[in-house]
Amino acid sequence: MSLQGHVAFITGAGRGQGRAHAVRLAREGVDIIGIDICEDIPSMNYPNATAEDLDETVRLVEEQGRRMVARQADVRDFHGLQKAFDEGLAEFGRVDIILANAGIVRLGPESDFLTEWQDVIDVNLTGVFHTIRAALPALRAGGRGGSIVLTSSSAGLKGTASVQASGTAYTAAKRGLVGLMQCLANELAPEWIRVNTIHPTGVISGMTQNPVTQAMMAEAAAGGQNDISTMQNALPISILEASDIANAVAFLVSEQAKFITGVQWPLDAGFSVR
């Protein structure tokens, strides 16, 4: 895939899709700068990755024969994020790939709708903007082109029924990433920097594998109505593995996809066509 010796900056690298991206790209010869908040956000109702989770990602990357600079950082804090990225850049001397992957959502009943709305927007939209602003100058300075992938969602293509603050903020943020991607794709194309969004359906991760979401899935399966009761894929599979998304991303950032930019890529088992 012509990725040997490249460097990727990945947010939300402690587990789930972020970890899967790190390990998959390491297998292709990529070194990783990875960050994760490694602490819970009080307005959300499931736990985030831990420092031990991030350490495990480092171990798995090193198992592939590559290096990883891992730091605890919050994408809402631009200056902390910039510091973390700069430490990785100092280690590797380059960056070729930016994967803005960190994201949150609260599912189920609201507790504090103003805080829940703001936290989701701040992580899922503003945090992506921060990620790009932190790493893009170094990517452009390299003069080698590159690839930026923003993790949107099937919700970024098709909103589901909800009045909950977090659920609607999630959809608004993920749809907003498409506009951000299109602006960047147009601006950066002359420099051979490609920018795309991916739109996964449900993926096995900490966001979906916790008591809250599992209870909601059980309720929906029994005919109950909640935020996820209408989330049904066209293909006969209810949820994807993080490695399924990582395989697609590894292609998208490679030379095999060198003419693909400005694309909203559904990785959603047909959810958006139903």
Side-chain angles (χ1 to χ4, degrees):
M1 286 189 167
S2 304
L3 293 175
Q4 188 72 32
H6 286 199
V7 175
F9 179 41
I10 305 175
T11 63
R15 67 182 183 192
Q17 292 182 58
R19 174 186 286 174
H21 296 329
V23 175
R24 181 67 178 81
L25 291 181
R27 193 179 309 153
E28 299 299 330
V30 178
D31 291 319
I32 308 297
I33 306 168
I35 68 101
D36 203 291
I37 187 173
C38 296
E39 63 181 44
D40 294 341
I41 296 175
S43 65
M44 299 296 104
N45 53 356
Y46 63 90
N48 280 330
T50 65
E52 291 74 21
D53 289 327
L54 188 56
D55 289 342
E56 176 63 7
T57 302
V58 173
R59 186 190 70 80
L60 292 169
V61 166
E62 291 176 346
E63 199 173 67
Q64 303 300 318
R66 305 310 300 180
R67 295 179 292 158
M68 178 172 176
V69 172
R71 296 290 184 268
Q72 295 183 36
D74 184 344
V75 295
R76 297 174 295 178
D77 171 14
F78 175 76
H79 297 293
L81 183 65
Q82 184 73 72
K83 181 177 182 293
F85 170 76
D86 287 347
E87 290 175 3
L89 183 65
E91 175 71 21
F92 297 127
R94 63 185 287 170
V95 67
D96 306 275
I97 298 162
I98 302 171
L99 303 183
N101 167 77
I104 60 171
V105 68
R106 178 188 175 96
L107 291 171
E110 294 175 345
S111 175
D112 176 353
F113 71 91
L114 291 175
T115 301
E116 290 158 19
W117 170 275
Q118 196 63 58
D119 283 346
V120 171
I121 294 294
D122 285 349
V123 172
N124 293 9
L125 183 56
T126 305
V128 171
F129 172 73
H130 287 167
T131 299
I132 294 165
R133 280 301 179 99
L136 182 58
L139 179 60
R140 300 180 86 173
R144 297 176 297 271
S147 181
I148 301 172
V149 180
L150 314 183
T151 301
S152 182
S153 164
S154 57
L157 299 173
K158 174 185 173 184
T160 56
S162 178
V163 296
Q164 304 292 339
S166 179
T168 52
Y170 185 86
T171 296
K174 295 301 188 179
R175 191 72 61 88
L177 293 183
V178 173
L180 177 59
M181 172 272 288
Q182 290 171 337
C183 290
L184 294 168
N186 277 305
E187 177 67 19
L188 298 173
E191 301 172 52
W192 283 98
I193 296 174
R194 301 179 297 106
V195 191
N196 297 285
T197 50
I198 56 169
H199 298 262
T201 186
V203 179
I204 293 175
S205 68
M207 184 182 287
T208 59
Q209 303 303 295
N210 61 71
V212 174
T213 53
Q214 289 180 341
M216 293 180 69
M217 290 177 183
E219 179 187 355
Q225 294 296 310
N226 58 42
D227 283 355
I228 59 176
S229 59
T230 59
M231 294 175 64
Q232 297 180 2
N233 301 326
L235 294 175
I237 183 171
S238 60
I239 196 164
L240 304 182
E241 297 281 352
S243 58
D244 296 324
I245 312 305
N247 287 335
V249 167
F251 164 76
L252 193 57
V253 302
S254 76
E255 284 296 303
Q256 295 177 4
K258 64 184 177 181
F259 301 127
I260 299 176
T261 194
V263 168
Q264 305 164 58
W265 191 6
L267 304 173
D268 65 354
F271 170 81
S272 60
V273 301
R274 290 183 67 89

